[in-house]
Amino acid sequence: MLKRIREEQKNEDGFTLIELMVVVLIISILIAIAIPTFLGAREGAEDRSAQSNLRNALTAAKVYYADEGEWIGAGADVDTSAEIRALVALAEPSLTFQDGAVSNASASGTVRAVFTDQSAVFSGYSESGSCFHLLEQATGATAGTYYYEVDAAADGSCADAPAANAANTWVTGGW
């Protein structure tokens, strides 16, 4: 009997259809689990990239504020003037500062910066469809860093950040 089984095993070539179907089923299950996990990680990475750009812009502006005692271009949106060149010189070379709202049409690494005498607001768009805003209050009882996140509009545009004193909008501690 054992001799007969060994002879039959020698005559078998390749895999059966059932064995191939089981392998395909296992691979399909693994792919079904991996794809949503990958997509979630990608969206998270896109959000972290936009948030990092805002933090880098804030760091550059704080350096300028510490040296000069005032925000760059206080009272107006940053434009292509000497103030924006000073900010870009302090910031990461990958950051691009623009006047006007950020949107899905903005290049990666684009930040909008709006300065007043007491605060600086940075806005950025994430490719995942979220808009992030970072507020730095320099002085007063509400001094500190505040965060705000909102989904982009259907056309991919980000609304301006809410006013610095808007109740229940800005939060501390992160996005």
Side-chain angles (χ1 to χ4, degrees):
M1 177 76 163
L2 191 56
K3 186 177 180 180
R4 184 173 173 235
I5 292 175
R6 284 189 186 142
E7 285 178 10
E8 285 181 17
Q9 286 178 344
K10 287 181 184 178
N11 293 334
E12 288 185 25
D13 294 325
F15 300 102
T16 66
L17 181 61
I18 298 295
E19 291 170 331
L20 291 174
M21 290 176 60
V22 168
V23 169
V24 169
L25 178 67
I26 290 171
I27 291 173
S28 300
I29 291 170
L30 292 175
I31 289 173
I33 292 169
I35 287 178
T37 303
F38 170 74
L39 293 177
R42 188 173 121 194
E43 287 178 7
E46 290 167 346
D47 289 349
R48 298 300 171 263
S49 174
Q51 294 167 2
S52 176
N53 290 339
L54 297 181
R55 286 189 190 104
N56 290 339
L58 174 62
T59 300
K62 280 184 171 182
V63 168
Y64 185 93
Y65 185 85
D67 289 345
E68 304 297 325
E70 66 180 4
W71 294 113
I72 297 169
D77 285 356
V78 172
D79 56 18
T80 57
S81 64
E83 289 86 7
I84 189 61
R85 288 192 297 276
L87 185 56
V88 170
L90 294 171
E92 295 280 330
S94 61
L95 293 181
T96 303
F97 292 88
Q98 76 177 32
D99 188 24
V102 290
S103 69
N104 60 357
S106 303
S108 179
T110 300
V111 174
R112 179 180 188 206
V114 178
F115 300 95
T116 67
D117 293 336
Q118 302 298 319
S119 66
V121 177
F122 300 94
S123 302
Y125 175 81
S126 168
E127 292 180 23
S128 71
S130 295
C131 300
F132 294 97
H133 304 282
L134 181 63
L135 166 67
E136 178 68 21
Q137 288 283 85
T139 60
T142 59
T145 305
Y146 298 89
Y147 305 87
Y148 178 66
E149 175 184 0
V150 65
D151 289 336
D155 65 356
S157 63
C158 291
D160 288 342
N165 59 359
N168 300 322
T169 303
W170 295 96
V171 297
T172 59
W175 284 282

